[in-house]
Amino acid sequence: MNQPLIVARPGDLVPDLSIVVPTFRERDNVAPLVARLAAALDGIRWEVIFVDDDSPDGTIDAVRQIGARDGRVRAIRRVGRRGLAGACIEGMLSAQAPVVAVIDADLQHDETVLPRMLAQIRAGAELVVGTRYAAGGEASAFSARRSAMSRFATDLSKKFFTIRTSDPMSGFFMLRRDVIEAAAPRLSNQGFKILLDILLTSGSDIRIAEVPYSFSARQHGESKLDNQVLVDFVGLLLSKASGGLISIRFVLFGLVGVLGLFVHLLTLRIVLGAGGSFVLGQTAATIVAMTFNFVVNNFLTYRDQRLTGWAMVPGLLKFYAVCGLGAVGNVGVGSWVFHETARWWVAGVAGSVVGAIWNYLLSRSFVWKSKA
Ligand code: GDD
Ligand code: MN
Protein backbone atom coordinates (compact mmCIF):
# COMPACT_ATOMS: atom_id res chain seq x y z
CA MET A 1 0.00 0.00 0.00
CA ASN A 2 2.35 2.67 -1.15
CA GLN A 3 0.18 5.01 -3.14
CA PRO A 4 0.49 8.61 -2.00
CA LEU A 5 -2.21 9.88 0.29
CA ILE A 6 -4.69 12.05 -1.61
CA VAL A 7 -5.06 15.43 0.04
CA ALA A 8 -7.92 17.67 -1.01
CA ARG A 9 -7.19 21.02 -2.64
CA PRO A 10 -8.82 24.25 -1.52
CA GLY A 11 -12.24 24.41 -3.12
CA ASP A 12 -12.65 20.63 -3.21
CA LEU A 13 -15.72 19.45 -1.41
CA VAL A 14 -14.22 16.23 -0.04
CA PRO A 15 -13.20 16.16 3.60
CA ASP A 16 -9.67 15.34 4.76
CA LEU A 17 -10.91 13.24 7.65
CA SER A 18 -14.03 11.14 8.19
CA ILE A 19 -14.87 10.32 11.79
CA VAL A 20 -16.96 7.24 12.44
CA VAL A 21 -18.95 7.09 15.68
CA PRO A 22 -20.74 3.83 16.50
CA THR A 23 -23.75 4.49 18.68
CA PHE A 24 -26.24 2.55 20.68
CA ARG A 25 -28.38 4.53 23.11
CA GLU A 26 -26.19 7.64 23.13
CA ARG A 27 -28.75 10.41 22.52
CA ASP A 28 -27.40 12.82 25.11
CA ASN A 29 -23.81 12.45 23.93
CA VAL A 30 -24.37 13.38 20.29
CA ALA A 31 -24.51 17.18 20.52
CA PRO A 32 -21.61 17.53 22.97
CA LEU A 33 -19.47 15.23 20.82
CA VAL A 34 -20.14 17.17 17.61
CA ALA A 35 -19.30 20.42 19.40
CA ARG A 36 -16.07 18.96 20.72
CA LEU A 37 -15.08 17.59 17.32
CA ALA A 38 -15.73 20.95 15.68
CA ALA A 39 -13.51 22.65 18.25
CA ALA A 40 -10.72 20.07 18.04
CA LEU A 41 -10.66 19.91 14.24
CA ASP A 42 -10.43 23.59 13.52
CA GLY A 43 -8.50 23.99 10.25
CA ILE A 44 -9.16 20.41 9.11
CA ARG A 45 -11.94 19.55 6.67
CA TRP A 46 -13.96 16.82 8.36
CA GLU A 47 -17.21 14.90 8.34
CA VAL A 48 -18.68 12.72 11.05
CA ILE A 49 -20.71 9.57 10.41
CA PHE A 50 -22.81 8.22 13.25
CA VAL A 51 -23.65 4.55 12.79
CA ASP A 52 -26.64 3.79 14.94
CA ASP A 53 -28.22 0.38 15.47
CA ASP A 54 -31.75 1.73 15.66
CA SER A 55 -31.38 2.86 19.29
CA PRO A 56 -34.73 3.05 21.05
CA ASP A 57 -33.77 6.35 22.71
CA GLY A 58 -33.85 8.27 19.43
CA THR A 59 -30.09 8.74 19.05
CA ILE A 60 -30.56 8.98 15.30
CA ASP A 61 -32.96 11.94 15.67
CA ALA A 62 -30.37 13.81 17.67
CA VAL A 63 -27.89 13.26 14.82
CA ARG A 64 -30.35 14.17 12.06
CA GLN A 65 -31.33 17.35 13.87
CA ILE A 66 -27.74 18.58 13.77
CA GLY A 67 -27.22 17.16 10.28
CA ALA A 68 -30.16 19.18 8.97
CA ARG A 69 -28.11 22.31 9.51
CA ASP A 70 -24.60 20.94 9.11
CA GLY A 71 -23.81 18.79 6.06
CA ARG A 72 -20.70 17.45 7.76
CA VAL A 73 -22.85 15.45 10.16
CA ARG A 74 -24.26 12.25 8.65
CA ALA A 75 -26.14 9.26 9.99
CA ILE A 76 -26.45 5.63 9.06
CA ARG A 77 -29.40 3.85 10.64
CA ARG A 78 -28.97 0.08 10.72
CA VAL A 79 -32.10 -1.92 11.32
CA GLY A 80 -32.30 -5.53 12.49
CA ARG A 81 -28.61 -5.62 13.29
CA ARG A 82 -26.51 -5.17 16.39
CA GLY A 83 -22.81 -5.02 16.92
CA LEU A 84 -20.02 -2.55 17.49
CA ALA A 85 -17.54 -4.08 15.02
CA GLY A 86 -20.06 -4.30 12.18
CA ALA A 87 -21.19 -0.72 12.78
CA CYS A 88 -17.61 0.56 12.64
CA ILE A 89 -16.92 -1.34 9.41
CA GLU A 90 -20.02 0.03 7.68
CA GLY A 91 -19.19 3.54 8.80
CA MET A 92 -15.60 3.33 7.62
CA LEU A 93 -16.66 1.97 4.25
CA SER A 94 -19.06 4.87 3.78
CA ALA A 95 -16.40 7.48 4.47
CA GLN A 96 -15.61 10.11 1.85
CA ALA A 97 -12.22 11.17 3.14
CA PRO A 98 -8.97 9.30 2.43
CA VAL A 99 -8.39 9.08 6.20
CA VAL A 100 -10.87 7.61 8.68
CA ALA A 101 -11.00 7.72 12.47
CA VAL A 102 -13.17 5.72 14.86
CA ILE A 103 -14.13 7.23 18.19
CA ASP A 104 -16.73 6.28 20.82
CA ALA A 105 -19.75 8.52 21.24
CA ASP A 106 -19.59 8.69 25.01
CA LEU A 107 -16.78 11.27 25.28
CA GLN A 108 -14.43 8.72 26.88
CA HIS A 109 -11.87 9.10 24.09
CA ASP A 110 -9.90 12.33 23.86
CA GLU A 111 -10.84 14.00 20.58
CA THR A 112 -8.17 16.65 20.99
CA VAL A 113 -5.48 14.18 19.89
CA LEU A 114 -7.15 13.69 16.48
CA PRO A 115 -5.02 16.37 14.75
CA ARG A 116 -1.88 14.67 16.06
CA MET A 117 -3.12 11.34 14.75
CA LEU A 118 -3.78 12.89 11.34
CA ALA A 119 -0.28 14.38 11.33
CA GLN A 120 1.13 10.87 11.88
CA ILE A 121 -0.83 9.56 8.89
CA ARG A 122 0.40 12.44 6.76
CA ALA A 123 3.94 11.63 7.92
CA GLY A 124 3.58 8.11 6.50
CA ALA A 125 1.75 5.96 9.05
CA GLU A 126 -1.09 3.81 7.75
CA LEU A 127 -2.72 3.17 11.12
CA VAL A 128 -2.54 5.26 14.29
CA VAL A 129 -3.69 3.78 17.57
CA GLY A 130 -4.95 5.97 20.41
CA THR A 131 -3.30 4.17 23.32
CA ARG A 132 -3.93 4.11 27.04
CA TYR A 133 -0.93 1.91 27.68
CA ALA A 134 2.06 3.93 26.49
CA ALA A 135 3.85 6.82 28.21
CA GLY A 136 1.39 9.72 28.42
CA GLY A 137 -1.65 7.45 28.17
CA GLU A 138 -3.94 6.53 31.01
CA ALA A 139 -7.01 4.47 31.88
CA SER A 140 -7.70 5.34 35.50
CA ALA A 141 -11.41 5.78 34.70
CA PHE A 142 -11.59 1.99 34.37
CA SER A 143 -12.92 0.01 37.30
CA ALA A 144 -10.48 -2.56 38.72
CA ARG A 145 -12.45 -5.33 37.01
CA ARG A 146 -12.52 -3.64 33.60
CA SER A 147 -8.86 -2.79 33.89
CA ALA A 148 -7.97 -6.42 34.66
CA MET A 149 -10.14 -7.64 31.75
CA SER A 150 -8.54 -5.19 29.35
CA ARG A 151 -5.01 -6.18 30.43
CA PHE A 152 -5.86 -9.87 30.25
CA ALA A 153 -7.22 -9.55 26.71
CA THR A 154 -4.18 -7.54 25.63
CA ASP A 155 -1.72 -10.06 27.12
CA LEU A 156 -3.60 -13.04 25.73
CA SER A 157 -3.62 -11.71 22.19
CA LYS A 158 0.07 -10.80 22.44
CA LYS A 159 0.84 -14.36 23.50
CA PHE A 160 -0.72 -15.85 20.39
CA PHE A 161 -0.02 -13.24 17.75
CA THR A 162 2.63 -10.69 16.92
CA ILE A 163 1.02 -7.41 17.80
CA ARG A 164 2.92 -4.21 17.31
CA THR A 165 0.93 -1.81 19.41
CA SER A 166 0.59 -1.31 23.15
CA ASP A 167 -3.23 -1.09 23.00
CA PRO A 168 -4.78 -3.52 20.50
CA MET A 169 -8.10 -3.33 22.40
CA SER A 170 -8.45 0.39 21.81
CA GLY A 171 -11.70 1.61 20.35
CA PHE A 172 -10.01 4.83 19.28
CA PHE A 173 -7.86 4.80 16.14
CA MET A 174 -7.29 6.34 12.73
CA LEU A 175 -6.30 4.74 9.44
CA ARG A 176 -5.97 5.32 5.75
CA ARG A 177 -9.18 4.37 4.04
CA ASP A 178 -7.34 2.05 1.64
CA VAL A 179 -6.29 -0.07 4.65
CA ILE A 180 -9.88 -0.70 5.65
CA GLU A 181 -11.03 -1.19 2.05
CA ALA A 182 -8.42 -3.94 1.69
CA ALA A 183 -9.16 -5.64 5.02
CA ALA A 184 -12.97 -5.35 5.04
CA PRO A 185 -13.87 -8.63 3.30
CA ARG A 186 -11.96 -10.60 5.94
CA LEU A 187 -13.13 -8.72 9.05
CA SER A 188 -15.69 -10.10 11.45
CA ASN A 189 -18.89 -8.15 12.09
CA GLN A 190 -19.26 -9.73 15.46
CA GLY A 191 -17.72 -8.47 18.67
CA PHE A 192 -16.16 -5.34 20.08
CA LYS A 193 -12.55 -5.77 19.06
CA ILE A 194 -12.50 -4.19 15.67
CA LEU A 195 -8.97 -2.77 15.95
CA LEU A 196 -7.52 -6.15 16.95
CA ASP A 197 -9.25 -7.72 13.97
CA ILE A 198 -7.83 -5.07 11.61
CA LEU A 199 -4.35 -5.62 13.06
CA LEU A 200 -4.56 -9.41 12.69
CA THR A 201 -6.02 -9.15 9.21
CA SER A 202 -3.76 -6.50 7.73
CA GLY A 203 -0.51 -8.40 8.27
CA SER A 204 2.89 -7.34 9.44
CA ASP A 205 3.92 -4.79 6.87
CA ILE A 206 1.42 -2.12 7.78
CA ARG A 207 3.01 0.98 9.28
CA ILE A 208 1.64 1.65 12.75
CA ALA A 209 2.03 4.71 14.96
CA GLU A 210 0.61 5.49 18.40
CA VAL A 211 -0.70 8.55 20.15
CA PRO A 212 -1.27 8.33 23.91
CA TYR A 213 -4.47 9.68 25.47
CA SER A 214 -6.22 9.31 28.75
CA PHE A 215 -9.48 7.39 28.87
CA SER A 216 -12.06 9.41 30.79
CA ALA A 217 -15.23 8.50 32.61
CA ARG A 218 -18.54 8.17 30.78
CA GLN A 219 -20.86 11.15 31.23
CA HIS A 220 -24.28 10.03 29.97
CA GLY A 221 -25.75 6.59 29.33
CA GLU A 222 -24.08 3.30 30.12
CA SER A 223 -21.46 0.90 28.80
CA LYS A 224 -22.60 -1.93 26.53
CA LEU A 225 -19.55 -4.03 27.22
CA ASP A 226 -20.49 -7.21 29.02
CA ASN A 227 -19.29 -10.77 29.45
CA GLN A 228 -20.41 -11.63 25.95
CA VAL A 229 -17.66 -9.34 24.69
CA LEU A 230 -15.13 -11.62 26.37
CA VAL A 231 -16.68 -14.69 24.74
CA ASP A 232 -16.64 -13.00 21.32
CA PHE A 233 -13.03 -12.03 21.93
CA VAL A 234 -11.95 -15.64 22.53
CA GLY A 235 -13.93 -16.54 19.40
CA LEU A 236 -12.05 -13.89 17.42
CA LEU A 237 -8.65 -15.22 18.56
CA LEU A 238 -9.58 -18.81 17.62
CA SER A 239 -11.06 -17.71 14.32
CA LYS A 240 -7.89 -15.79 13.44
CA ALA A 241 -5.72 -18.69 14.64
CA SER A 242 -7.46 -20.83 12.01
CA GLY A 243 -6.39 -18.31 9.40
CA GLY A 244 -9.96 -17.05 9.14
CA LEU A 245 -11.14 -20.48 7.97
CA ILE A 246 -13.73 -20.71 10.72
CA SER A 247 -15.88 -17.79 11.81
CA ILE A 248 -16.38 -16.55 15.36
CA ARG A 249 -19.89 -17.93 15.17
CA PHE A 250 -18.73 -21.41 14.28
CA VAL A 251 -16.20 -21.32 17.13
CA LEU A 252 -18.99 -20.41 19.57
CA PHE A 253 -21.35 -22.98 18.07
CA GLY A 254 -18.65 -25.65 18.48
CA LEU A 255 -17.92 -24.67 22.08
CA VAL A 256 -21.63 -24.83 22.90
CA GLY A 257 -21.72 -28.25 21.23
CA VAL A 258 -18.94 -29.49 23.51
CA LEU A 259 -20.88 -28.24 26.55
CA GLY A 260 -23.95 -29.97 25.13
CA LEU A 261 -22.07 -33.25 25.08
CA PHE A 262 -21.51 -32.94 28.83
CA VAL A 263 -25.19 -32.15 29.35
CA HIS A 264 -26.04 -35.24 27.30
CA LEU A 265 -23.81 -37.52 29.36
CA LEU A 266 -25.04 -36.03 32.61
CA THR A 267 -28.69 -36.60 31.68
CA LEU A 268 -27.98 -40.15 30.55
CA ARG A 269 -26.22 -40.85 33.83
CA ILE A 270 -29.13 -39.48 35.86
CA VAL A 271 -31.75 -41.54 33.97
CA LEU A 272 -29.66 -44.70 34.24
CA GLY A 273 -29.04 -43.97 37.92
CA ALA A 274 -32.80 -43.69 38.47
CA GLY A 275 -33.24 -47.16 36.97
CA GLY A 276 -34.28 -46.09 33.44
CA SER A 277 -33.33 -48.14 30.39
CA PHE A 278 -30.55 -47.07 28.04
CA VAL A 279 -33.01 -46.30 25.26
CA LEU A 280 -35.02 -44.07 27.56
CA GLY A 281 -31.85 -42.41 28.91
CA GLN A 282 -30.36 -41.83 25.49
CA THR A 283 -33.63 -40.40 24.16
CA ALA A 284 -34.05 -38.06 27.12
CA ALA A 285 -30.39 -37.03 26.96
CA THR A 286 -30.67 -36.23 23.25
CA ILE A 287 -33.72 -34.03 23.76
CA VAL A 288 -32.26 -32.28 26.79
CA ALA A 289 -28.93 -31.69 25.03
CA MET A 290 -30.58 -30.35 21.86
CA THR A 291 -32.75 -28.01 23.92
CA PHE A 292 -29.72 -26.89 25.88
CA ASN A 293 -27.79 -26.21 22.67
CA PHE A 294 -30.69 -24.26 21.21
CA VAL A 295 -31.11 -22.07 24.29
CA VAL A 296 -27.41 -21.34 24.73
CA ASN A 297 -26.84 -20.69 21.03
CA ASN A 298 -29.86 -18.42 20.96
CA PHE A 299 -28.46 -16.54 23.93
CA LEU A 300 -24.78 -16.43 22.98
CA THR A 301 -23.91 -17.41 19.42
CA TYR A 302 -26.89 -15.66 17.85
CA ARG A 303 -27.38 -12.98 20.43
CA ASP A 304 -27.65 -10.37 17.69
CA GLN A 305 -30.51 -12.28 16.00
CA ARG A 306 -31.95 -13.78 19.15
CA LEU A 307 -35.41 -15.34 18.91
CA THR A 308 -37.68 -14.13 21.65
CA GLY A 309 -41.20 -14.89 22.88
CA TRP A 310 -43.28 -17.25 20.78
CA ALA A 311 -40.77 -17.19 17.92
CA MET A 312 -38.66 -19.49 20.08
CA VAL A 313 -41.14 -22.36 19.64
CA PRO A 314 -40.86 -22.80 15.84
CA GLY A 315 -37.15 -22.01 16.24
CA LEU A 316 -36.71 -24.87 18.69
CA LEU A 317 -38.71 -27.28 16.51
CA LYS A 318 -36.64 -26.37 13.46
CA PHE A 319 -33.51 -26.84 15.53
CA TYR A 320 -34.66 -30.36 16.50
CA ALA A 321 -35.30 -31.14 12.84
CA VAL A 322 -31.89 -29.85 11.74
CA CYS A 323 -30.09 -31.75 14.52
CA GLY A 324 -32.10 -34.90 13.80
CA LEU A 325 -30.91 -34.92 10.20
CA GLY A 326 -27.42 -33.98 11.44
CA ALA A 327 -27.46 -37.09 13.63
CA VAL A 328 -28.33 -39.26 10.63
CA GLY A 329 -25.38 -37.72 8.73
CA ASN A 330 -23.17 -38.16 11.77
CA VAL A 331 -23.93 -41.88 12.10
CA GLY A 332 -23.71 -42.40 8.33
CA VAL A 333 -20.31 -40.77 7.94
CA GLY A 334 -19.05 -42.33 11.18
CA SER A 335 -20.03 -45.82 10.03
CA TRP A 336 -18.42 -45.33 6.66
CA VAL A 337 -15.15 -44.09 8.22
CA PHE A 338 -15.25 -46.97 10.72
CA HIS A 339 -15.66 -49.40 7.86
CA GLU A 340 -12.70 -47.84 6.00
CA THR A 341 -10.26 -47.35 8.89
CA ALA A 342 -11.53 -49.64 11.66
CA ARG A 343 -10.50 -46.96 14.15
CA TRP A 344 -13.46 -46.21 16.39
CA TRP A 345 -12.26 -42.81 17.58
CA VAL A 346 -11.37 -41.50 14.09
CA ALA A 347 -14.84 -42.57 12.97
CA GLY A 348 -16.44 -40.99 16.03
CA VAL A 349 -14.65 -37.68 15.53
CA ALA A 350 -15.31 -37.61 11.77
CA GLY A 351 -19.02 -38.27 12.26
CA SER A 352 -19.29 -35.59 14.95
CA VAL A 353 -17.43 -33.00 12.88
CA VAL A 354 -19.66 -33.60 9.87
CA GLY A 355 -22.74 -33.47 12.12
CA ALA A 356 -21.57 -30.22 13.73
CA ILE A 357 -20.91 -28.54 10.38
CA TRP A 358 -24.30 -29.68 9.12
CA ASN A 359 -26.07 -28.42 12.23
CA TYR A 360 -24.22 -25.13 12.06
CA LEU A 361 -24.88 -24.41 8.40
CA LEU A 362 -28.54 -25.40 8.49
CA SER A 363 -29.48 -23.83 11.77
CA ARG A 364 -27.70 -20.65 10.69
CA SER A 365 -29.97 -20.21 7.72
CA PHE A 366 -33.18 -21.93 8.88
CA VAL A 367 -33.35 -21.24 12.59
CA TRP A 368 -31.63 -17.87 12.96
CA LYS A 369 -31.59 -16.70 9.34
CA SER A 370 -28.16 -15.20 9.74
CA LYS A 371 -26.04 -14.10 6.82
CA ALA A 372 -22.70 -14.43 8.61
N1 GDD B 1 -23.81 0.83 16.44
C1 GDD B 1 -23.50 0.24 17.61
N2 GDD B 1 -23.96 -1.03 17.84
N3 GDD B 1 -22.76 0.88 18.50
C2 GDD B 1 -22.46 0.26 19.67
C3 GDD B 1 -22.91 -1.05 19.97
C4 GDD B 1 -23.69 -1.72 18.98
O1 GDD B 1 -24.13 -2.86 19.16
N4 GDD B 1 -22.43 -1.38 21.20
C5 GDD B 1 -21.73 -0.31 21.64
N5 GDD B 1 -21.76 0.68 20.73
C6 GDD B 1 -21.13 2.01 20.79
C7 GDD B 1 -21.49 2.80 22.04
O2 GDD B 1 -22.66 3.56 21.85
C8 GDD B 1 -20.25 3.67 22.20
O3 GDD B 1 -20.30 4.83 21.39
C9 GDD B 1 -19.14 2.78 21.72
O4 GDD B 1 -19.74 1.81 20.87
C10 GDD B 1 -18.40 2.07 22.85
O5 GDD B 1 -19.33 1.37 23.65
P1 GDD B 1 -19.24 1.37 25.24
O6 GDD B 1 -20.35 0.53 25.72
O7 GDD B 1 -19.11 2.75 25.76
O8 GDD B 1 -17.88 0.56 25.44
P2 GDD B 1 -16.78 0.74 26.57
O9 GDD B 1 -16.55 2.16 26.96
O10 GDD B 1 -17.11 -0.20 27.67
O11 GDD B 1 -15.49 0.24 25.77
C11 GDD B 1 -14.94 1.05 24.74
O12 GDD B 1 -13.69 1.53 25.00
C12 GDD B 1 -12.69 0.51 25.15
C13 GDD B 1 -11.40 1.18 25.35
O13 GDD B 1 -11.06 2.01 24.27
C14 GDD B 1 -14.90 0.28 23.44
O14 GDD B 1 -14.48 1.16 22.41
C15 GDD B 1 -13.94 -0.88 23.53
O15 GDD B 1 -13.83 -1.53 22.28
C16 GDD B 1 -12.60 -0.37 23.93
O16 GDD B 1 -11.75 -1.46 24.21
MN1 MN C 1 -17.58 3.80 26.63
Side-chain angles (χ1 to χ4, degrees), residues 146-354:
R146 264 305 291 272
S147 174
M149 255 171 83
S150 174
R151 286 283 183 185
F152 169 75
T154 306
D155 292 346
L156 189 70
S157 42
K158 286 189 168 168
K159 216 168 237 131
F160 286 104
F161 301 96
T162 318
I163 287 175
R164 294 166 302 134
T165 169
S166 57
D167 196 356
M169 303 302 144
S170 179
F172 184 31
F173 56 91
M174 187 183 286
L175 37 63
R176 288 175 56 134
R177 201 182 68 209
D178 46 16
V179 172
I180 191 70
E181 299 273 4
R186 282 176 291 144
L187 296 176
S188 168
N189 283 323
Q190 226 179 332
F192 248 55
K193 300 307 169 196
I194 175 69
L195 175 62
L196 178 67
D197 198 0
I198 294 172
L199 288 165
L200 297 180
T201 302
S202 300
S204 54
D205 49 353
I206 150 168
R207 290 183 297 276
I208 303 174
E210 293 194 332
V211 171
Y213 79 97
S214 66
F215 190 77
S216 22
R218 196 180 238 282
Q219 325 243 319
H220 307 283
E222 55 193 38
S223 170
K224 283 96 209 169
L225 189 138
D226 53 18
N227 294 331
Q228 166 88 22
V229 169
L230 209 62
V231 174
D232 283 343
F233 167 74
V234 172
L236 176 66
L237 290 188
L238 290 173
S239 163
K240 288 291 159 186
S242 77
L245 195 67
I246 50 178
S247 63
I248 295 187
R249 245 193 248 287
F250 186 65
V251 171
L252 297 186
F253 194 84
L255 293 177
V256 174
V258 172
L259 284 180
L261 183 63
F262 284 104
V263 170
H264 183 108
L265 293 177
L266 190 70
T267 314
L268 180 57
R269 179 78 226 281
I270 291 172
V271 175
L272 293 179
S277 68
F278 180 79
V279 173
L280 177 70
Q282 184 74 345
T283 310
T286 305
I287 293 173
V288 171
M290 282 194 300
T291 311
F292 168 87
N293 276 28
F294 172 77
V295 170
V296 180
N297 277 317
N298 191 43
F299 191 74
L300 204 73
T301 317
Y302 289 97
R303 155 164 109 147
D304 50 342
Q305 356 237 341
R306 187 178 295 166
L307 302 170
T308 51
W310 285 109
M312 286 178 75
V313 175
L316 179 62
L317 295 178
K318 282 189 241 172
F319 192 73
Y320 285 156
V322 165
C323 294
L325 286 173
V328 173
N330 176 341
V331 173
V333 170
S335 313
W336 176 73
V337 173
F338 185 69
H339 183 256
E340 295 293 310
T341 66
R343 288 214 187 93
W344 65 268
W345 61 271
V346 178
V349 169
S352 308
V353 168
V354 169

Side-chain angles (χ1 to χ4, degrees), residues 1 12 16 26 33 39 48 58 81 119 127 146 154-155 183 191 216 236 255 258 308 357 362:
M1 225 166 277
D12 284 357
D16 293 317
E26 302 285 3
L33 178 65
V48 60
R81 276 174 293 169
L127 171 68
R146 264 305 291 272
T154 306
D155 292 346
S216 22
L236 176 66
L255 293 177
V258 172
T308 51
I357 294 175
L362 269 87

Side-chain angles (χ1 to χ4, degrees), residues 19-23 26 29 33 37 50 84 88 102-109 146 170-173 192 213 215 218:
I19 299 136
V20 172
V21 187
T23 55
E26 302 285 3
N29 288 317
L33 178 65
L37 287 174
F50 287 86
L84 177 52
C88 291
V102 174
I103 188 168
D104 287 353
D106 55 10
L107 316 173
Q108 291 193 279
H109 295 154
R146 264 305 291 272
S170 179
F172 184 31
F173 56 91
F192 248 55
Y213 79 97
F215 190 77
R218 196 180 238 282

